[in-house]
Amino acid sequence: MSVLRPNLLPLSLPYPNGTSILPYPTRRLPHLQTLPKIICATKRTGKQRYPSEKKKLKLKHKEALTDVKNKFDGIWRLSKLAVSVQNDPGKDFLGVSDGLLQEIAKAIKFPVASMLPPGAFSVIRKSFDARKMLKEAKFVYTVDMNVSELINLEPRTIDFISDLEPRVGLIEHMPLERVSGDIISIIQGCKKVEGERLLKEGGISDYSCNAGTYKYTGSRKPKIAVVGSGPSGLFASLVLAELGADVTLIERGQPVEQRGRDIGALMVRRVLELESNFCFGEGGAGTWSDGKLVTRIGRNSDSVLAVMKTLVHFGAPGNILIDGKPHLGTDRLVPLLRNLRQNLQEQGVSIKFGTRVDDLIIEDGHVVGVKVSDSRDQQKLDCHKLGFDAVILAVGHSARDIYHMLLSHDIDLIPKDFAVGLRIEHPQELINSVQYSSLSTEVHRGRGKIPVADYKVASYVSREDGKTPSSSGPTSRSCYSFCMCPGGQVVLTSTDPSELCINGMSFSRRASKWANAALVVTVSTQDFNSLDFHGPLAGIDFQREFERRAAIMGGGDFVVPVQTVTDFLDGKFPVTSLPPSSYRLGVKAAKLHELFPMHITDALRHSVSVFDKELPGFISNEALLHGVEVALFIFSRTCGDARFAIHPTSIFFLIDSHFYLLNCIFSQTCLSVESFVLLDKNQLSYPDSS
């Protein structure tokens, strides 16, 4: 018996400029072959680099300093151009100011900055640097200089260009101008090139060319189910639809309009909709979160810019392409998602909101569809089947029922270490003062000349640093801040009324009176086992345990237990009035120092003391800790082995698996490139099993 596969679009579409459409090489999974396990480590820097890495870096620098063949062709990129706050128009100005021209003139050694034409320069990146080691805070720019345009507008610069030499990290020559479009234009460009090639070779029996493009006209389009409408699910649907697949996007939650009303009911009447809340619904958990677009995979790389430009295409402001710390905010995410949804529907994507995936349909070891039901039907009485050629699971980290379902099919789930802790909130003015000193008056609640102050802190805690030794956990832990929300508020992210979990969010202007961030400590399977939680889903049980404890401490009705930082460090119950909190459903004084096992509490205490040395004033009577912040991620290994009972080319996983990118709308978008492999002919070819 064999399963007939549809005629599929070729994945190997040539990129218009000769490079690949993907930021990574196309991956073809061998048939039921165990793939090597990939272990990602923290990037080594400085003295931590291996000799071989130092040699490669030195060679890279040497290549960058080689003689430029033609200095008058292409683009010169000028980096680390620092302009003082006094000489800069401010954070919202992204053009070429007089102050920036002064720094450009210094970089190219041109004597009169006012003679330089601003039109020859384009700002690629702008960030704000207020580190204490600097004499004064500065805006730092990366600028591209168009040589031909510069010489055309100001011929007297020709001698200075001829004397220009590359300098590593400061001045770089690019023979050709980098042009990167959004994902839609990239795919359409590739389709145009492929259509022209097929027309030239006469191999267009399955395709029709129209105005230089081609579209699928085969007997049957591949049917793909994308489960989850978070960033990775939305981008996977977008890519697959552009490539000609028949896509069905299945979302257990509601579209942003109804989801907004459900969240409003939660905030006003304390009514939690189990399938439409801060976690579930169109856009995923990030829709009602901070909308940060920070990534560590290359700030100006083509792959990152392609995603950013796609967001701009659907309504994001253009400044996210330049800002050093790009940020959207919920108020901008909602209309963006509406535009993206409309585009998907125009492409023929069928979107099923309020539909929960209850199970996979498996035949002969292949996923051939899913069982779904109305998400409001908690009893799953009206369950029906939908058939597909392949399924993408982009469900995020809160869909615990999906993980249990996968485990029931013997899919190999490997638990990862993650982190637990509390969310700390300070008055934003305090953080502004700590970070900016006298410049803090320039913030004006997000409307001033400099950005609202944020922070990022980290501490390495050894067993000796804690008061309580623990044989049940690792000898050392990391404690750090993440998802820092300047000018934000604390919000509820529970999906169960008996549990309490919180997060931070902010709007685009970041005008709130508060600043909040998660302070978390790493935990591992040793910690899970110490509480008698075992197996692949032990982390979920560990997570739920502390969310239930927090709900009990709060007394119910989603009231959050809180404690001042000073009382947490002293281990005493609050006896004075609490400082105000941004959390709208109410707070209650509690002994948060008794929430976690003692070794976790001691790690938090030690780290907070360390953070106060870095940020004097971090420990304050105005600083309020909220419980509980817990993040869980499970990596699903999709390679075939003795315990993997499903053919690896019929199901794909885009599950959030990087802790540092939590609540960043880009977090799963980076992973969505994996969905390209679904249209590879070899990926959906099923072997003859007769």
Side-chain angles (χ1 to χ4, degrees), residues 494-507:
S494 298
T495 57
D496 188 313
S498 65
E499 299 165 358
L500 193 60
C501 186
I502 56 174
N503 190 20
M505 68 159 285
S506 64
F507 294 103

Side-chain angles (χ1 to χ4, degrees), residues 463-483:
R463 180 171 293 179
E464 290 73 19
D465 293 325
K467 299 178 182 178
T468 307
S470 171
S471 59
S472 61
T475 57
S476 60
R477 302 175 187 272
S478 295
C479 180
Y480 51 89
S481 64
F482 87 101
C483 189

Side-chain angles (χ1 to χ4, degrees), residues 375-605:
S375 59
R376 293 169 295 184
D377 178 15
Q378 296 301 313
Q379 302 299 320
K380 304 178 183 179
L381 300 177
D382 185 21
C383 187
H384 57 282
K385 300 180 180 180
L386 300 175
F388 297 99
D389 296 308
V391 175
I392 294 178
L393 290 181
V395 296
H397 67 288
S398 297
R400 297 162 176 167
D401 54 336
I402 293 292
Y403 296 117
H404 285 281
M405 178 269 290
L406 293 174
L407 194 62
S408 71
H409 289 293
D410 295 326
I411 292 180
D412 192 9
L413 299 178
I414 303 175
K416 294 182 65 176
D417 295 352
F418 57 100
V420 299
L422 306 167
R423 184 159 285 268
I424 188 170
E425 186 171 68
H426 295 85
Q428 182 63 57
E429 289 186 356
L430 173 62
I431 300 300
N432 292 340
S433 178
V434 169
Q435 295 290 64
Y436 296 157
S437 300
S438 59
L439 272 180
S440 61
T441 56
E442 297 286 342
V443 174
H444 298 302
R445 294 182 69 173
R447 298 182 180 274
K449 196 172 186 180
I450 62 178
V452 179
D454 61 4
Y455 60 83
K456 182 170 67 174
V457 288
S459 173
Y460 184 77
V461 185
S462 64
R463 180 171 293 179
E464 290 73 19
D465 293 325
K467 299 178 182 178
T468 307
S470 171
S471 59
S472 61
T475 57
S476 60
R477 302 175 187 272
S478 295
C479 180
Y480 51 89
S481 64
F482 87 101
C483 189
M484 197 277 156
C485 301
Q489 58 185 287
V490 179
V491 296
L492 177 74
T493 55
S494 298
T495 57
D496 188 313
S498 65
E499 299 165 358
L500 193 60
C501 186
I502 56 174
N503 190 20
M505 68 159 285
S506 64
F507 294 103
S508 57
R509 185 56 67 178
R510 289 176 162 170
S512 164
K513 297 185 295 182
W514 292 279
N516 67 76
L519 296 182
V520 292
V521 177
T522 53
V523 292
S524 66
T525 53
Q526 292 176 278
D527 297 290
F528 312 157
N529 297 341
S530 68
L531 295 182
D532 203 26
F533 298 133
H534 305 277
L537 302 183
I540 290 180
D541 296 330
F542 185 86
Q543 175 190 29
R544 302 186 76 165
E545 171 67 21
F546 293 105
E547 291 182 358
R548 287 168 180 158
R549 291 186 187 182
I552 294 173
M553 279 189 170
D557 280 340
F558 307 113
V559 174
V560 165
V562 297
Q563 189 176 24
T564 62
V565 170
T566 51
D567 287 337
F568 179 80
L569 295 176
D570 295 337
K572 61 182 183 180
F573 187 79
V575 294
T576 59
S577 60
L578 295 170
S581 167
S582 67
Y583 183 73
R584 292 173 55 185
L585 293 177
V587 297
K588 177 183 177 181
K591 298 179 181 180
L592 289 181
H593 58 276
E594 297 179 356
L595 175 64
F596 295 112
M598 206 59 199
H599 52 276
I600 295 179
T601 299
D602 284 341
L604 282 169
R605 284 171 168 166

Side-chain angles (χ1 to χ4, degrees), residues 114-277:
S114 59
M115 295 175 61
L116 292 175
F121 307 96
S122 56
V123 177
I124 302 302
R125 184 177 177 81
K126 180 178 182 177
S127 58
F128 185 63
D129 190 351
R131 289 175 295 171
K132 300 294 188 296
M133 66 180 69
L134 302 176
K135 293 182 179 179
E136 61 176 343
K138 296 181 178 182
F139 287 97
V140 182
Y141 289 82
T142 299
V143 173
D144 278 357
M145 179 173 67
N146 188 315
V147 179
S148 60
E149 185 74 12
L150 177 61
I151 294 175
N152 182 50
L153 295 173
E154 179 49 75
R156 285 169 288 192
T157 59
I158 189 168
D159 292 336
F160 298 91
I161 299 300
S162 63
D163 294 337
L164 204 57
E165 296 293 339
R167 296 171 60 191
V168 175
L170 298 176
I171 303 176
E172 176 189 4
H173 181 258
M174 297 179 289
L176 298 175
E177 183 179 1
R178 285 177 52 183
V179 178
S180 59
D182 58 45
I183 289 176
I184 297 174
S185 63
I186 289 174
I187 295 175
Q188 291 177 349
C190 294
K191 290 163 67 176
K192 179 179 179 180
V193 172
E194 179 69 3
E196 292 173 349
R197 183 187 68 81
L198 291 171
L199 181 63
K200 182 178 180 181
E201 296 176 358
I204 57 172
S205 58
D206 289 334
Y207 301 95
S208 63
C209 292
N210 180 19
T213 64
Y214 73 88
K215 61 181 180 180
Y216 184 83
T217 59
S219 58
R220 186 171 73 86
K221 296 181 179 180
K223 294 185 64 176
I224 312 295
V226 178
V227 183
S229 68
S232 64
L234 289 171
F235 272 74
S237 300
L238 177 66
V239 169
L240 292 169
E242 286 287 341
L243 288 174
D246 181 1
V247 181
T248 299
L249 177 59
I250 304 173
E251 168 58 49
R252 68 196 301 163
Q254 298 296 327
V256 287
E257 297 87 352
Q258 180 59 46
R259 188 181 177 192
R261 290 190 287 271
D262 293 335
I263 290 176
L266 174 61
M267 293 292 97
V268 176
R269 302 193 302 273
R270 302 177 188 270
V271 177
L272 175 64
E273 291 290 341
L274 300 183
E275 305 288 359
S276 180
N277 44 56

